[in-house]
């Protein structure tokens, strides 16, 4: 039975939310599909493989050495001086801070030792070296 509005002049106050929900779901799907394209790419470090190794706790000092010798600290490329400053700052906040060092397997041993020297010189007493399990 149809409703006849000719007798009363009231506006229809009901909001139809079904089209709104449909649009929101389509926008959500679009964001879910396109989000991986805009994510910041990770640093490609070819870690050495080892049979032994334990899980390490997350750290505020995640340092990666790339194959071309660049230093990445917590997701951004920095200089050795920036690593020293950040390590000194973290030691000031927490004396038991641990540095996690990831180095490409093609990086010369001397570069890794130099980075360890910088971190230990800043006061970091604990460090871990990242590996891939065999």
């Amino acid at each position: 039975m149809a409703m006849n509005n000719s007798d009363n002049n009231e506006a229809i106050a009901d909001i139809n939310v079904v089209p709104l929900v449909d649009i929101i779901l389509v926008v959500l799907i679009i964001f879910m599909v396109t989000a991986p394209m805009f994510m910041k790419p990770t640093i490609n470090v070819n870690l050495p493989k080892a049979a032994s190794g334990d899980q390490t706790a997350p750290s505020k000092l995640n340092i990666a050495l790339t194959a071309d010798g660049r230093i990445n600290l917590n997701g951004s490329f920095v200089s050795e001086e920036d690593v020293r400053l950040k390590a000194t700052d973290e030691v000031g906040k927490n004396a038991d801070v641990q540095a996690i060092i990831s180095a490409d397997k093609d990086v010369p041993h001397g570069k890794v030792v130099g980075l360890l020297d910088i971190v230990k010189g800043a006061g970091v007493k604990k460090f871990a070296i990242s590996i891939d399990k065999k």
Side-chain angles (χ1 to χ4, degrees), residues 38-77:
F38 296 112
M39 290 178 59
K40 187 176 180 180
T42 58
I43 304 303
N44 190 12
V45 176
N46 190 9
L47 294 174
K49 297 190 183 305
S52 63
D54 297 328
Q55 291 287 343
T56 58
S59 173
K60 302 251 183 188
L61 288 174
N62 294 310
I63 306 166
L65 278 169
T66 61
D68 58 357
R70 295 187 301 164
I71 301 172
N72 185 294
L73 175 64
N74 297 334
S76 59
F77 289 103

Side-chain angles (χ1 to χ4, degrees), residues 115-134:
L115 186 61
L116 284 173
D117 188 44
I118 292 169
V119 170
K120 291 189 81 142
V124 176
K125 294 179 179 75
K126 298 180 190 175
F127 67 91
I129 302 211
S130 294
I131 58 163
D132 279 339
K133 286 282 217 179
K134 279 188 180 178

Side-chain angles (χ1 to χ4, degrees), residues 2-114:
M3 191 162 135
N4 189 357
N5 279 343
S6 61
D7 293 342
N8 58 6
N9 292 330
E10 291 182 30
I12 298 174
D14 294 335
I15 298 175
N16 191 358
V17 295
V18 174
L20 177 67
V21 171
D22 289 343
I23 291 170
I24 296 299
L25 286 175
V26 168
V27 170
L28 178 66
I29 291 170
I30 290 170
F31 282 136
M32 288 171 48
V33 169
T34 60
M37 290 182 238
F38 296 112
M39 290 178 59
K40 187 176 180 180
T42 58
I43 304 303
N44 190 12
V45 176
N46 190 9
L47 294 174
K49 297 190 183 305
S52 63
D54 297 328
Q55 291 287 343
T56 58
S59 173
K60 302 251 183 188
L61 288 174
N62 294 310
I63 306 166
L65 278 169
T66 61
D68 58 357
R70 295 187 301 164
I71 301 172
N72 185 294
L73 175 64
N74 297 334
S76 59
F77 289 103
V78 296
S79 67
E80 291 178 352
E81 181 63 22
D82 293 332
V83 172
R84 188 186 63 74
L85 291 174
K86 178 68 173 172
T88 304
D89 183 46
E90 290 300 326
V91 168
K93 293 177 187 174
N94 178 9
D96 290 334
V97 69
Q98 179 182 20
I100 299 176
I101 299 173
S102 306
D104 194 283
K105 67 180 181 179
D106 296 329
V107 171
H109 181 69
K111 289 257 190 197
V112 178
V113 171

